[in-house]
Amino acid sequence: MYLEVLALLFFLERCCLSAPQQPCHPGDEFLGRCSSSRSAHDETPTCTELNLGYCNDLEYSTTIFPNILGHRSRYEAESGAEYLLLSVIHGLLNGECSPEIRLLGCSVLASPCRDNKLVKPCRSTCEALRKGCIHAFEAIEMAWPYFLDCDRFFAGNEEGCFDPLAGLKARQEVALSSLSPEEPSTIIQFTYASNAQMYSLLKRTAAKCSHISHVYSIGRSTEGRDLLVIEFTDNPGQHELLEPEIKLVGNMHGNEVLGRQLLIYLAQYLCSEYMLGNQRIQSIINNTRIHILASMNPDGYELAASEVEDSNDQELSNQEGHLLNGWISGRANAQNLDLNRNFPDLTSLFYRNRRSRHYRIDHIPIPDTYWFGKVAPETYAVMKWIRSLPFVQSASLHGGELVVSYPFDFSRHPHEEKMFSPTPDEQIFKQLARTYADAHATMSNNDTDRCGASFYRTRGIINGALWYSFAGGMSDFNYLHTNCMEITVELGCDKFPSEAELYPEWKRNKEALLSFLESVHRGIKGVVKDTDGNGIKGATVSVRGVRKDVTTAEDGDYWRLLNPGTYILTATAKGFSRVSKRVFLPHNMIKAGRVDFVLEK
């Protein structure tokens, strides 16, 4: 649509702005449709009543011609391409940055008049709006409008400029202050977001909270859509010593969409609440580096969303067929690959070698044979992402049941579909699962309606392979190839719930999401250094009795999730001595204990 509008703008500019001026007919000059050459050039400009249709809600009532753009009358201003763009900008940007862009444009087309002199809008207002809204123009591949050039058509504060958004900001502040304590201070629109809207929302959120957030892409889907991550931390863009990194992944299966929406809402909530001074949110963000991938499978979502749209068409609707399609359509990526079966099967390697005393079960390398198969670009992008950052903890949000499952997802006996298959960190994983399930409004309740499976005895958590076994899952890969411990959260029976359910689901899951973010500060953390005080990258920290080690990050820092208890920790590195320490973690600890090691060569 925007290409058609641009063509129309170009046509109008050629035919209207470049056409020779027609002589005024009686009464036309009085109505502002034209101006005679005598009055345009000989008379001194004076303040005149503001009467531009799309600009009649400004905070002032008089303007002056010629305006900043050189239009000599209201007729010229309304005939220009700039005015036409203002009339369609809301639709072009899908309502983003509205009415701010229109008000800014009006301040250029019809600037206020004081003492028969034109007052320019403030450059600082223009620059701030451009920073916050440029992504919306980029999303439709449109340049920032030339007539909103902040350097060319706007003035500095010292020149006596005016803020065209001052009235709007004042009204917004009054609206926020009028909210009662029971009403949410963060305003979120609980509707579904298309892929384009999701990208725009995340970019706008990051721009609004640029001091604690930024967005980055980890790659592209099969059909070329961005796998966009939004990050929250007090120093975005880089790892800080001893600050744990945590990730949340949604929409791995394209038709399981609730997790995607919850993560979009969570990003908006974190940004807004941090700005509003919410101490809990500020503490989480100031002490944690959070990465949110709302959609790992945007291509699958596109297909699933089109199925839902078709179901609303009475001529296309077949209720039974749609329900079946809703369960499977869009689950896989555009190559028809199930992304949660597409990761390297390291669990089989672990089972094959677990009885070998010297076999390390952490950081198991990816076998060469894996690359002979079909590896989805989404899978490859996430594997690169997982390997590039020292993630400590993770959750993957799914749908179809109401339960939290944890590794191993692949049964220790290949012919057993339902077999308890624990990792060496069984107790830690159970605690992570409990953290989410217990904080969820209904997940751990015995009287909660389930979706066919029974989790009454375990209060909403289960070992993955005991539920059902599958190979090539993302959670097992995280655990066996990196330091990261990932759980799978099944958010409910309906994979694509109605929009009316989005707000209730947010209320059910908000506390669970926040509690899970806070739970990364559990166990121990520290730095492994040499005698000169330099951090040792790739050193190993082991826990006696647990056959799963963690390795240090670039600067020698590490994190080890542990439950309360007494442990013997050992730090080793190639070419250095071994150092062991006895550590006691009491039940009342609310943050990770600090245990540093100094190794001698």
Side-chain angles (χ1 to χ4, degrees):
M1 173 190 170
Y2 76 91
L3 290 176
E4 297 170 6
V5 172
L6 292 181
L8 179 60
L9 294 177
F10 179 75
F11 169 75
L12 284 173
E13 189 168 17
R14 294 294 301 273
C15 73
C16 301
L17 298 185
S18 303
Q21 189 171 346
Q22 300 296 317
C24 282
H25 296 288
D28 282 354
E29 185 173 355
F30 175 76
L31 294 174
R33 294 175 180 167
C34 62
S35 58
S36 67
S37 58
R38 181 188 64 79
S39 61
H41 296 284
D42 299 340
E43 290 186 4
T44 302
T46 58
C47 295
T48 184
E49 183 181 357
L50 174 58
N51 192 19
L52 284 177
Y54 286 108
C55 301
N56 279 341
D57 59 344
L58 302 181
E59 302 297 318
Y60 49 91
S61 58
T62 58
T63 187
I64 192 169
F65 292 101
N67 62 14
I68 296 175
L69 300 177
H71 300 142
R72 294 187 169 277
S73 68
R74 177 171 67 86
Y75 179 73
E76 278 190 30
E78 288 183 334
S79 301
E82 303 87 358
Y83 186 76
L84 177 60
L85 179 60
L86 290 185
S87 70
V88 298
I89 197 70
H90 178 88
L92 281 177
L93 301 183
N94 291 316
E96 277 211 72
C97 300
S98 181
E100 290 89 344
I101 290 288
R102 180 180 61 80
L103 294 176
L104 192 72
C106 286
S107 73
V108 174
L109 282 170
S111 304
C113 180
R114 294 180 194 151
D115 301 325
N116 294 326
K117 291 182 180 178
L118 181 148
V119 183
K120 285 188 173 183
C122 290
R123 184 174 297 118
S124 58
T125 301
C126 176
E127 289 172 343
L129 190 61
R130 187 182 192 281
K131 181 178 179 182
C133 295
I134 187 65
H135 69 274
F137 288 88
E138 290 173 349
I140 61 170
E141 299 178 8
M142 181 178 175
W144 183 254
Y146 89 92
F147 65 97
L148 299 184
D149 186 323
C150 302
D151 294 323
R152 186 175 172 191
F153 299 119
F154 295 77
N157 295 332
E158 67 281 356
E159 300 174 66
C161 64
F162 82 102
D163 181 358
L165 304 184
L168 177 66
K169 294 172 186 172
R171 290 191 294 274
Q172 289 173 341
E173 288 178 6
V174 169
L176 283 173
S177 64
S178 66
L179 292 174
S180 68
E182 291 76 24
E183 292 179 292
S185 53
T186 293
I187 300 172
I188 296 173
Q189 189 174 2
F190 291 95
T191 56
Y192 278 113
S194 68
N195 283 321
Q197 290 167 335
M198 174 185 69
Y199 296 142
S200 189
L201 271 170
L202 295 179
K203 289 177 180 178
R204 189 176 185 183
T205 299
K208 177 182 176 183
C209 291
S210 57
H211 58 303
I212 58 165
S213 178
H214 93 295
V215 292
Y216 63 94
S217 174
I218 62 170
R220 289 189 176 273
S221 68
T222 303
E223 295 181 344
R225 295 182 175 91
D226 254 330
L227 303 178
L228 200 67
V229 176
I230 185 168
E231 169 197 348
F232 288 94
T233 180
D234 59 350
N235 193 8
Q238 64 185 57
H239 173 70
E240 288 189 69
L241 192 72
L242 292 172
E243 185 169 87
E245 310 228 6
I246 185 170
K247 60 184 169 72
L248 301 172
V249 179
N251 205 204
M252 186 182 199
H253 292 141
N255 63 334
E256 296 170 12
V257 301
L258 179 56
R260 166 189 166 116
Q261 290 302 134
L262 292 179
L263 294 183
I264 294 171
Y265 304 151
L266 179 65
Q268 296 173 272
Y269 180 82
L270 292 175
C271 169
S272 180
E273 289 297 303
Y274 191 99
M275 301 278 278
L276 290 168
N278 183 320
Q279 292 185 359
R280 182 186 185 189
I281 301 304
Q282 289 180 343
S283 177
I284 291 173
I285 291 175
N286 291 340
N287 295 289
T288 321
R289 191 179 182 198
I290 304 161
H291 305 258
I292 298 173
L293 174 60
S295 182
M296 183 178 164
N297 187 2
D299 298 349
Y301 174 82
E302 200 76 20
L303 179 59
S306 67
E307 285 280 340
V308 171
E309 287 178 9
D310 287 349
S311 76
N312 295 326
D313 188 324
Q314 295 301 317
E315 293 183 7
L316 299 175
S317 178
N318 177 311
Q319 190 62 25
E320 289 186 9
H322 172 67
L323 288 174
L324 178 61
N325 283 339
W327 196 257
I328 59 174
S329 186
R331 175 184 174 89
N333 77 340
Q335 298 168 298
N336 201 29
L337 294 174
D338 187 327
L339 299 181
N340 208 28
R341 309 292 188 274
N342 194 234
F343 283 81
D345 175 18
L346 304 183
T347 322
S348 293
L349 293 176
F350 162 69
Y351 290 144
R352 200 176 305 143
N353 295 281
R354 70 183 185 275
R355 300 192 188 282
S356 172
R357 182 179 173 190
H358 300 291
Y359 183 73
R360 285 187 59 177
I361 72 158
D362 53 279
H363 298 81
I364 298 175
I366 298 171
D368 292 340
T369 53
Y370 170 73
W371 304 107
F372 299 157
K374 186 177 282 188
V375 180
E378 298 90 346
T379 308
Y380 182 69
V382 169
M383 285 197 295
K384 278 178 56 182
W385 183 44
I386 292 170
R387 289 162 56 95
S388 69
L389 293 168
F391 290 116
V392 180
Q393 188 171 306
S394 176
S396 178
L397 307 187
H398 290 249
E401 251 302 345
L402 188 62
V403 70
V404 179
S405 69
Y406 57 88
F408 285 123
D409 284 322
F410 189 40
S411 172
R412 55 185 168 152
H413 194 295
H415 301 298
E416 290 288 344
E417 282 295 310
K418 298 177 182 292
M419 173 179 266
F420 178 56
S421 304
T423 68
D425 280 298
E426 165 71 9
Q427 296 306 316
I428 306 296
F429 270 121
K430 283 182 71 174
Q431 186 56 46
L432 285 179
R434 279 260 70 86
T435 297
Y436 197 100
D438 289 350
H440 186 277
T442 59
M443 192 177 287
S444 65
N445 297 347
N446 284 343
D447 58 349
T448 298
D449 289 335
R450 304 287 170 173
C451 320
S454 176
F455 306 109
Y456 296 130
R457 295 178 183 176
T458 56
R459 292 177 37 241
I461 70 170
I462 193 169
N463 171 259
L466 182 59
W467 183 16
Y468 67 93
S469 173
F470 66 91
M474 184 166 68
S475 294
D476 283 10
F477 175 79
N478 270 272
Y479 182 70
L480 292 173
H481 191 65
T482 73
N483 293 336
C484 187
M485 301 179 69
E486 180 174 274
I487 61 171
T488 300
V489 181
E490 300 281 347
L491 293 164
C493 309
D494 196 343
K495 294 188 175 188
F496 209 130
S498 67
E499 281 194 340
E501 280 299 306
L502 293 179
Y503 178 54
E505 287 293 352
W506 166 249
K507 289 201 296 183
R508 292 183 195 111
N509 285 276
K510 182 182 77 170
E511 179 57 35
L513 288 165
L514 297 180
S515 295
F516 187 75
L517 292 177
E518 290 170 325
S519 69
V520 74
H521 298 278
R522 170 185 300 165
I524 57 171
K525 63 182 179 180
V527 183
V528 180
K529 304 176 183 178
D530 61 23
T531 51
D532 295 324
N534 301 311
I536 302 174
K537 177 187 176 182
T540 298
V541 178
S542 59
V543 180
R544 184 179 294 177
V546 181
R547 290 190 61 193
K548 161 70 177 176
D549 302 339
V550 296
T551 54
T552 56
E554 194 76 31
D555 299 318
D557 46 348
Y558 75 94
W559 303 262
R560 186 55 167 103
L561 297 177
L562 291 170
N563 290 333
T566 301
Y567 301 94
I568 304 295
L569 306 178
T570 301
T572 58
K574 191 173 182 180
F576 289 86
S577 62
R578 174 190 300 260
V579 174
S580 296
K581 293 187 177 183
R582 183 185 180 91
V583 175
F584 172 67
L585 300 178
H587 284 271
N588 59 354
M589 283 188 69
I590 58 174
K591 63 180 181 178
R594 176 82 179 263
V595 182
D596 293 340
F597 293 90
V598 177
L599 306 186
E600 294 182 358
K601 288 188 178 179

